[in-house]
Amino acid sequence: MKSFSRRTFLQSSALLASSAVLPSYLPLVRTVQKPLRLGGPIFLKSNDPDELAREHRRLQYSAAYVPTVDLTDTNRIEAIRKAFAAQNVLIAEVGAWVNMLDQDAEKRRKNLTYVTDRLALAEAVGARVCVNIGGSFSPTQWDGPDARDLGKDYFDATVENCRKVIDAVKPKRAKFALEMMGWSLPDGPDSYLKFIKAIDRAAFGAHVDIANIINSPTRFFANTALINETFQKLGRWIISAHAKDIAPKDGHFMETMPGRGRLDYAAYIRNVTSLPQEVPLMLEHLRTAEEYDEARAFVIKKASEIQIPLA
């Protein structure tokens, strides 16, 4: 048996003790920085999957929102899947933007059926994620705000809804995720971790939108720390991210395009590309092709400045 000196024993014991108290979300070994998979909407008027996939590449996108397709159109789903794979364009996201907590029982049922179908489409087309918000108890606005959206009833109902959707589809590749919001749960990494634990499904993932959770001056001015904390705590579950920005306006906060706000995009891109899994960063909420051109150019320039290439 190999003998150990007292010093070696103490050093080994100290190392084991320190590693035992490390949070589980902190990787012990840093992964190699990956190229950035940037994506966004396109404005090409075409239904041809090959043309759509090539247009993404022309715009330097390697990730995409799912093209328009019905869940029952299996031939078109397969054509989209093959065309985008051939161009190395990842289908990042299938949106399911409806209120899973609508106060009208029939509307709520229809909305949950729609979300279930959207997750099934994500699975069929090979998309990374189907994403929705939890919804809102507000009687007038599907995405809030309402004081009840921060309470236990909201949390419990959203956990139940997510489980129902996932259990109905049983996806093997696609994940279901909730978008973080400033006025409802999850409103940051800690509340997201609570959802992950409570939902307890391998097919539930984390979707990151930092601009959405800038809901206080503290988070606004310390957004670099918020970005780092979010990726540290949620890293292993993160499957997609949205690219927006946030700026002050009249004593409040205003969503804007990347580059016109104050988010630390170097930190954002560095975190997205440092995860073990490949995570697409998706532009959204702009109106014109010209606006997307500006936003895309900013993100590409920022990635280049920190020496991260595009995928």
Side-chain angles (χ1 to χ4, degrees):
M1 179 181 291
K2 184 178 179 179
S3 61
F4 290 89
S5 67
R6 181 173 183 272
R7 174 187 237 177
T8 302
F9 173 78
L10 290 174
Q11 287 174 338
S12 300
S13 298
L15 179 61
L16 288 171
S18 63
S19 65
V21 298
L22 283 174
S24 61
Y25 54 78
L26 289 177
L28 295 178
V29 179
R30 184 177 176 82
T31 58
V32 177
Q33 207 96 33
K34 291 178 174 58
L36 175 65
R37 275 203 179 269
L38 181 64
I42 64 171
F43 291 79
L44 179 68
K45 302 299 183 183
S46 174
N47 289 320
D48 182 81
D50 293 301
E51 290 183 354
L52 295 174
R54 287 195 296 269
E55 178 68 0
H56 281 81
R57 270 300 173 189
R58 185 186 73 82
L59 294 170
Q60 296 181 278
Y61 289 150
S62 55
Y65 294 105
V66 68
T68 301
V69 60
D70 191 270
L71 178 59
T72 61
D73 192 345
T74 55
N75 290 335
R76 179 167 169 79
I77 288 172
E78 183 64 10
I80 290 170
R81 190 187 64 76
K82 288 183 176 179
F84 279 70
Q87 294 294 326
N88 188 27
V89 177
L90 174 70
I91 301 177
E93 180 179 315
V94 174
W97 307 112
V98 293
N99 189 359
M100 297 191 292
L101 294 172
D102 196 292
Q103 296 302 281
D104 182 281
E106 181 58 18
K107 288 181 180 178
R108 185 169 64 251
R109 185 193 66 78
K110 289 181 178 179
N111 287 348
L112 281 171
T113 298
Y114 174 76
V115 176
T116 302
D117 287 348
R118 297 296 280 177
L119 177 57
L121 175 61
E123 176 74 0
V125 80
R128 179 62 54 87
V129 63
C130 171
V131 62
N132 192 17
I133 67 170
S136 179
F137 286 135
S138 169
T140 58
Q141 187 175 342
W142 81 277
D143 55 355
D146 190 289
R148 294 170 293 175
D149 295 347
L150 299 174
K152 186 177 185 301
D153 288 346
Y154 181 97
F155 181 89
D156 291 344
T158 300
V159 168
E160 181 181 354
N161 285 337
C162 291
R163 284 178 170 178
K164 282 182 178 178
V165 169
I166 291 169
D167 291 348
V169 177
K170 297 181 176 61
K172 299 294 189 295
R173 298 174 296 180
K175 307 283 187 182
F176 184 65
L178 295 172
E179 184 164 87
M180 295 187 289
M181 301 290 285
W183 290 92
S184 62
L185 300 174
D187 58 355
D190 290 333
S191 57
Y192 215 123
L193 284 172
K194 292 178 181 177
F195 274 113
I196 290 169
K197 181 178 180 181
I199 293 168
D200 191 26
R201 296 293 188 273
F204 183 72
H207 173 81
V208 173
D209 191 325
I210 295 296
N212 278 13
I213 58 173
I214 302 293
N215 55 7
S216 72
T218 299
R219 285 187 168 184
F220 178 77
F221 289 113
N223 73 80
T224 303
L226 178 64
I227 292 167
N228 291 336
E229 178 192 6
T230 298
F231 279 83
Q232 283 182 337
K233 290 183 174 180
L234 298 178
R236 59 183 285 197
W237 294 284
I238 293 173
I239 46 181
S240 63
H242 278 169
K244 303 200 294 279
D245 214 328
I246 202 83
K249 182 181 180 181
D250 302 329
H252 300 282
F253 299 112
M254 174 186 69
E255 178 184 310
T256 187
M257 73 169 65
R260 293 191 184 182
R262 303 273 188 91
L263 279 188
D264 184 347
Y265 255 85
Y268 201 9
I269 295 169
R270 195 175 284 115
N271 274 281
V272 165
T273 56
S274 291
L275 295 171
Q277 66 276 20
E278 200 169 41
V279 173
L281 182 65
M282 305 298 292
L283 298 165
E284 66 163 359
H285 287 183
L286 303 179
R287 296 167 297 176
T288 65
E290 291 73 24
E291 288 182 340
Y292 277 105
D293 288 344
E294 178 184 334
R296 183 176 64 255
F298 169 79
V299 174
I300 293 172
K301 179 175 181 289
K302 187 60 65 174
S304 177
E305 288 174 358
I306 57 176
Q307 299 182 333
I308 296 175
L310 297 180

